[in-house]
Amino acid sequence: MFDLLREGLPLFLVPQALVLTMLGIVAGLVIGVLPGLGPLMGIVLMLPIAFHLPPIAAMGMLIAIYIGGSAGGSISAILLRIPGTPLAAATLCDGFPMAQKGRAQDAVGLAVAASAIGGLVGGLILLFFSPLLAKFALRFAPPEYFAMALLGILTIAIVSEGSALKGLLAGALGLTLAMVGTDEFTNAYRFTFGNFKLSSGPHIVAVVVGLFALSEMFFQIEAAGFLARPNVQRLRISFRALRLLGHHKFNLARSALIGTFFGAIPGAGGDVSAFISYATAKKLAHPNEKYGEGAEGGVVATEAANNGTCGGALIPTLTLGIPGDASTAVLMGALILLGFFPGPELFRYHPEIVGGIFVAYLMGNVILLVVGILLVPLFAEVLRVPKAWLIPAVLLFSTLGTYALQSSTFDLWVMLTFGVVGYVMRRAGFPLAPLIIGMILGGVLESNFRRSLLISRDGPMIFIERPISAAIITIDVILLIVIVVSTIRSSRKRGSVRTEEEPAR
């Protein structure tokens, strides 16, 4: 653990990495404050820029956006009763009532401070457990990697919003996209339709930007209200929240641990951990605290949990190559683009990169604590920005960033195509995250499946002859059964509702 920090610290302590991490925190907070955007959007928009940066500077900036964006949603939740991100939905329970009582300054300060310290707790657990898990994962061979990649896709599919079957279908579409291009084993072109520009497959950055950024802008345009300016309370700089936070230290530590635990479960997400943490804090609180009416502990519990989730989500992402959520899936894609594939081999052959990422994550939370409080008035004013300015800016950044990847107009067409695909999928209730995760893990899944069969003497039996692989495959089968059962139940439920409605008509 300390060896990783020692090797990574010099790579982070350079002006470029430090400045970009600080700017990433500011950008993440701004994007998190604006309803409908969030950390994933920020990472997506900055991904083309990160592609041209040194590894630690790039990952420091993207991770800082992840941290800042996860915390920023609480500001709009407190001031406007509109969560900037799904992570901040639970903060509404006590954050907005605090603002109504004239304590908006304290509520925002508590939210930012609890997020930073919750993130630090998650970072320390990340630092301690990741090397141990990576050491265990060094026992993995192609069968285990195949089983783990399949587990990652199934897990994200089953916990995605909406139908588990739709999540699985989105993941299958991602796997199909991963097969486009040159076959790794035979060098033959697959699904390129004679277009040489598809010989390497669609660029992951163009797909991600189109799928998330463009589709969101289409929804924002459809919603109209381009010149609306909400009435926002003016805030001032104050460190009083740090003193108030000291009254909730046990709640803070417990909530951060809950967030980290659920973050380490792929697909569970910060919104789940925030509500569970809030329910736990409410149950253990004194009746005089009056949760739901503006209790400080409610804000502390939810925000410590949702940023603790960030550290937890990075554990399976870095050690096993299984993204913890949609944001870490894009972070994983960024790391691959920079030439480093997450997993135990990353810890073995590139410990300085792992150490630099750990340092960047820890320092990002420290910067969040200071910068978040100092710039609170700015973030409140950001809420006044009308969509008439915001939408063109996002579209411009998306277009310039995607074109800058390879100076290719083909990438722009890919971006536009997947912008439409993302819009249609969201309209139809299909989650987007499984598609990206399927596309990222598709290469791992296919190559290790084929390698396993090449080294096997008994064909597919190799997947159940090895104990670790057999255990993971068993979990995969259980998840598939859960998806099938939940789909059958939901279809029966819809059928019974229609049957009840027909006589009424």
Side-chain angles (χ1 to χ4, degrees), residues 55-219:
I56 299 305
M59 294 305 297
M61 178 183 69
L62 296 178
I63 288 172
I65 293 172
Y66 182 35
I67 296 167
S70 299
S74 62
I75 299 175
S76 55
I78 292 166
L79 298 180
L80 297 180
R81 205 183 179 189
I82 302 173
T85 67
L87 301 172
T91 307
L92 284 175
C93 300
D94 284 288
F96 186 68
M98 281 185 72
Q100 287 184 309
K101 292 179 180 179
R103 300 189 62 199
Q105 183 74 46
D106 290 340
V108 172
L110 277 172
V112 172
S115 294
I117 295 176
L120 281 171
V121 172
L124 292 174
I125 295 174
L126 166 71
L127 185 62
F128 181 78
F129 280 103
S130 290
L132 299 178
L133 187 57
K135 187 176 181 180
F136 170 76
L138 285 173
R139 304 178 186 179
F140 286 12
E144 285 78 19
Y145 281 117
F146 164 78
M148 286 300 298
L150 183 59
L151 177 63
I153 295 169
L154 291 175
T155 305
I156 295 297
I158 199 171
V159 299
S160 296
E161 295 180 5
S163 165
L165 180 60
K166 288 183 176 180
L168 191 60
L169 289 173
L173 177 58
L175 290 175
T176 304
L177 289 171
M179 290 191 290
V180 176
T182 307
D183 188 318
E184 178 184 350
F185 290 82
T186 65
N187 286 329
Y189 291 155
R190 305 184 302 185
F191 307 110
T192 60
F193 305 102
N195 189 338
F196 180 74
K197 292 179 180 177
L198 282 174
S199 59
S200 299
H203 201 292
I204 183 67
V205 175
V207 174
V208 169
V209 172
L211 207 61
F212 290 100
L214 253 64
S215 68
E216 178 61 34
M217 290 305 101
F218 293 158
F219 272 93

Side-chain angles (χ1 to χ4, degrees), residues 11 51 98 102 110 209 239 260 284 306 345 360 402 408 419 437 499:
L11 296 180
F51 184 65
M98 281 185 72
L110 277 172
V209 172
F239 285 90
T260 306
L284 299 176
N306 67 37
E345 301 299 323
T402 302
S408 169
I437 292 169
T499 305

Side-chain angles (χ1 to χ4, degrees), residues 166 490-505:
K166 288 183 176 180
S490 61
S491 62
R492 285 178 178 175
K493 195 173 182 180
R494 285 194 300 269
S496 63
V497 170
R498 288 172 185 169
T499 305
E500 292 174 3
E501 289 178 351
E502 284 175 2
R505 291 176 184 174

Side-chain angles (χ1 to χ4, degrees), residues 192-273:
T192 60
F193 305 102
N195 189 338
F196 180 74
K197 292 179 180 177
L198 282 174
S199 59
S200 299
H203 201 292
I204 183 67
V205 175
V207 174
V208 169
V209 172
L211 207 61
F212 290 100
L214 253 64
S215 68
E216 178 61 34
M217 290 305 101
F218 293 158
F219 272 93
Q220 294 288 345
I221 292 169
E222 187 179 43
F226 300 108
L227 300 177
R229 290 176 181 264
N231 186 20
V232 183
Q233 295 185 41
R234 294 191 178 275
L235 304 179
R236 66 181 188 278
I237 298 172
S238 172
F239 285 90
R240 181 172 180 265
L242 294 177
R243 188 172 74 252
L244 295 175
L245 194 63
H247 301 153
H248 305 276
K249 49 185 177 291
F250 295 113
N251 181 10
L252 178 66
R254 180 183 63 243
S255 301
L257 291 172
I258 290 173
T260 306
F261 172 76
F262 280 96
I265 301 174
D271 46 351
V272 174
S273 65

